[in-house]
């Protein structure tokens, strides 16, 4: 039977969106600092509006890919779709305000153009972080699908399930592919080194280790460990009841470094 779903966004698509957003933010910042008459500012404003329009189109394409993929079948995938929807709306609104600014400058109204460009910049406030949230949500979505396939192959359905918190459920979903790396410092504090889209507290990692839901394998580099789910961890992930989202997803949780979402294309995708 053919797969009814289309492939969702890959990491290179999300990386490109991050770069577009950062570039548009820089262009708007430059415009807001740029003095001079309307005629001198008009060409740069037109270029910025065009860049925002292209960014909006790219975000809309990723939204469509996510909505048509299997992402809608899990809570984490639905979160990714919701964030992309907010991103598409934000970039479209930013492009519209920049277009209005072009019109204002064409009529010599620099004061109105400045207000419109400030509004355009506000729509992009911290949006690059939202792209990282999309990547993390898709990572958890893929992890759950992988755990489902693994449980079916190894007949793990009869194992008793360990109850986990929502933070622990998300951690299990991130680790489900077995491609994660932890770093343990001299004082015993653990942090997730890979995948880069994973963000969790050290206490969450410690709880998963203590409950024997993940197993750690020492790596060549001192203090680093590979992570994989145990059979109990797979069952706990599949038996967990994800917290239902309330209201629209926030797109601005915290600042992000520009290259923090760059990973190899398709790294999340499960290939049996």
């Amino acid at each position: 039977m053919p797969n009814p779903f289309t492939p969702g966004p890959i990491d290179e698509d999300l990386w490109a969106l991050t770069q577009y957003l950062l570039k548009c933010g820089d262009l708007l910042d430059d415009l807001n600092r740029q003095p001079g008459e309307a005629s001198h500012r008009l060409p740069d404003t037109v270029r910025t509006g065009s860049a925002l329009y292209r960014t909006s189109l790219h975000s809309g394409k990723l939204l469509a890919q996510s909505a048509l993929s299997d992402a809608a079948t899990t809570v984490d995938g639905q979160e990714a779709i919701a964030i992309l929807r907010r991103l598409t709306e934000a970039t479209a609104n930013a492009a519209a305000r920049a277009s209005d600014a072009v019109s204002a400058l064409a009529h010599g109204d620099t004061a109105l153009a400045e207000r419109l460009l400030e509004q355009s910049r506000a729509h992009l406030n911290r949006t690059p972080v939202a792209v990282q949230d999309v990547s993390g949500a898709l990572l958890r979505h893929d992890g759950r699908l992988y755990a489902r396939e693994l449980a079916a192959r190894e007949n793990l359905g009869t194992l008793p399930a360990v109850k986990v918190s929502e933070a622990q459920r998300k951690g299990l979903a991130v680790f489900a592919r077995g491609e994660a790396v932890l770093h343990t410092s001299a004082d015993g504090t653990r942090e997730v080194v890979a995948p880069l889209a994973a963000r969790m507290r050290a206490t969450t990692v410690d709880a998963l280790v203590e409950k024997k839901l993940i197993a750690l394998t020492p790596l060549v580099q001192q203090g680093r460990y590979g992570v994989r789910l145990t059979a109990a961890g797979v069952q706990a992930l599949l038996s967990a009841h994800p917290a239902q989202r309330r209201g629209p997803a926030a797109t601005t949780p915290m600042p992000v470094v520009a290259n923090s979402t760059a990973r190899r294309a398709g790294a999340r995708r499960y290939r049996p």
Side-chain angles (χ1 to χ4, degrees):
M1 180 177 178
N3 189 340
F5 300 112
T6 62
I10 61 175
D11 294 321
E12 286 180 337
D13 294 328
L14 296 169
W15 169 246
L17 179 57
T18 301
Q19 294 306 298
Y20 293 156
L21 289 166
L22 290 170
K23 180 62 176 178
C24 286
D26 289 342
L27 289 172
L28 285 166
D29 288 341
D30 290 342
L31 284 175
N32 286 326
R33 291 191 296 262
Q34 185 183 82
E37 297 180 359
S39 59
H40 297 155
R41 301 178 63 180
L42 186 57
D44 288 341
T45 305
V46 171
R47 283 192 290 270
T48 300
S50 297
L52 285 165
Y53 178 68
R54 290 192 297 270
T55 302
S56 179
L57 288 179
H58 185 73
S59 181
K61 182 189 78 171
L62 300 190
L63 172 60
Q65 287 179 348
S66 296
L68 292 172
S69 73
D70 55 11
T73 64
T74 68
V75 168
D76 293 308
Q78 292 166 14
E79 180 181 348
I81 294 171
I83 298 173
L84 277 169
R85 182 176 296 111
R86 291 287 298 274
L87 276 168
T88 302
E89 292 172 353
T91 52
N93 288 335
R97 298 292 77 75
S99 177
D100 293 339
V102 169
S103 178
L105 287 173
H107 290 83
D109 193 340
T110 56
L112 175 58
E114 288 174 359
R115 291 196 296 271
L116 290 167
L117 290 173
E118 288 174 357
Q119 292 172 16
S120 181
R121 185 65 180 89
H123 282 298
L124 296 188
N125 184 35
R126 302 170 72 191
T127 51
V129 148
V131 184
Q132 186 178 9
D133 290 338
V134 172
S135 185
L138 289 175
L139 177 69
R140 296 193 301 271
H141 159 75
D142 286 348
R144 182 173 178 83
L145 296 186
Y146 178 83
R148 189 183 300 164
E149 293 284 345
L150 182 63
R153 288 201 309 268
E154 300 189 7
N155 192 25
L156 302 179
T158 59
L159 294 174
V162 177
K163 290 185 178 181
V164 293
S165 66
E166 175 64 2
Q168 292 166 13
R169 180 199 72 80
K170 289 183 175 181
L172 288 172
V174 165
F175 294 146
R177 284 187 52 88
E179 297 172 348
V181 176
L182 288 180
H183 175 260
T184 301
S185 62
D187 61 2
T189 302
R190 296 185 176 98
E191 71 171 316
V192 181
V193 178
L196 292 174
R199 290 181 292 176
M200 66 186 75
R201 297 179 182 276
T203 52
T204 299
V205 178
D206 289 340
L208 295 177
V209 173
E210 291 170 6
K211 292 182 177 181
K212 296 181 172 29
L213 301 180
I214 59 175
L216 306 183
T217 303
L219 301 178
V220 175
Q221 189 170 356
Q222 186 175 6
R224 296 205 172 193
Y225 298 83
V227 187
R228 65 173 180 83
L229 263 63
T230 63
V234 172
Q235 190 63 22
L237 172 58
L238 296 178
S239 300
H241 298 287
Q244 295 297 317
R245 293 179 54 256
R246 297 180 181 178
T251 60
T252 58
M254 59 188 296
V256 65
V257 177
N259 65 353
S260 63
T261 58
R263 289 179 288 126
R264 293 184 60 187
R268 295 188 315 268
R269 299 302 171 199
Y270 168 56
R271 298 177 178 83

